[in-house]
Amino acid sequence: GLDDSGSPARRCAGSLGGVAVDDSRRPQSRRAMSSKLETHLDAREAGPQVLTTVTQGSKVLEQKTLEPAVRVTAASAGLLTRTTPDGGQATIMSLGLPSTVDELVMQNGQGIIGAVMLSSQPVAVPDLSLSPELHSPPNLVHFGLHAAICMPMLEDGRLWGTLSVFDVKQRGWPADDRRVLAALAN
């Protein structure tokens, strides 16, 4: 039967602590933030599951890092690099970028990845046209990209690699995006 409100939706919402009712009244930005945070929590909970994929090969682990990073930030492209024996950063996986990127090895100070190599700190660029020193390699502007954020991936305090996402439009990188990327990079 129906509850006091006479509405199956109300009955369901009541059993969920009113979440469905409250959610319908939230402004769009709050819903988007909630969705992003839920995804962030899913990424954190997936950590142990991701580690078990190592036995399935490194490509699975890389996909479970890069694909969510691009999806959650609504970015246009993404790139994972790994420190080489000589201290460079070699591409290990890319999404939404030309295959020529897969052959790249970046050195200290080269482009946005090189900037992260020097500082071991995240670098976020809302408008690449204002930062020509961060354009390449890879040649982000040539690929039609206008914004970028690159996170260091550390292991025992040393740079293991980088996680980067890029966008075809100029944009700021809100704190939520930075937190999610940092969680995935960790």
Side-chain angles (χ1 to χ4, degrees):
L2 298 174
D3 67 358
D4 291 343
S5 72
S7 162
R10 279 243 192 245
R11 185 175 63 244
C12 178
S15 68
L16 297 173
V19 172
V21 172
D22 289 342
D23 188 53
S24 68
R25 294 183 201 151
R26 275 192 208 165
Q28 182 61 33
S29 62
R30 298 278 310 244
R31 277 198 295 274
M33 187 169 124
S34 174
S35 174
K36 193 169 285 191
L37 291 176
E38 286 169 11
T39 304
H40 169 67
L41 291 174
D42 289 346
R44 288 185 62 180
E45 289 175 6
Q49 295 170 11
V50 169
L51 292 177
T52 64
T53 65
V54 172
T55 58
Q56 300 171 34
S58 62
K59 287 294 179 202
V60 174
L61 182 62
E62 293 159 12
Q63 285 176 331
K64 287 184 178 283
T65 303
L66 188 58
E67 289 173 0
V70 171
R71 186 178 63 248
V72 169
T73 59
S76 306
L79 182 66
L80 267 177
T81 66
R82 175 83 195 263
T83 302
T84 62
D86 67 353
Q89 288 293 313
T91 299
I92 55 175
M93 179 172 276
S94 66
L95 281 175
L97 294 167
S99 60
T100 55
V101 170
D102 297 338
E103 310 297 321
L104 284 179
V105 177
M106 284 66 66
Q107 302 301 323
N108 272 344
Q110 288 187 314
I112 191 168
I113 293 165
V116 171
M117 291 168 68
L118 287 173
S119 68
S120 290
Q121 297 294 316
V123 175
V125 184
D127 181 356
L128 284 164
S129 70
L130 301 177
S131 303
E133 72 281 5
L134 300 178
H135 288 189
S136 64
N139 193 335
L140 301 174
V141 172
H142 178 74
F143 298 148
L145 301 169
H146 296 283
I149 185 168
C150 182
M151 289 284 169
M153 299 173 77
L154 303 175
E155 180 179 54
D156 298 327
R158 292 186 314 271
L159 189 65
W160 180 93
T162 65
L163 170 62
S164 304
V165 294
F166 312 103
D167 209 330
V168 294
K169 63 186 181 308
Q170 297 171 359
R171 64 181 269 191
W173 298 98
D176 283 346
D177 285 349
R178 293 171 191 242
R179 280 192 288 273
V180 169
L181 288 174
L184 287 167
N186 286 335

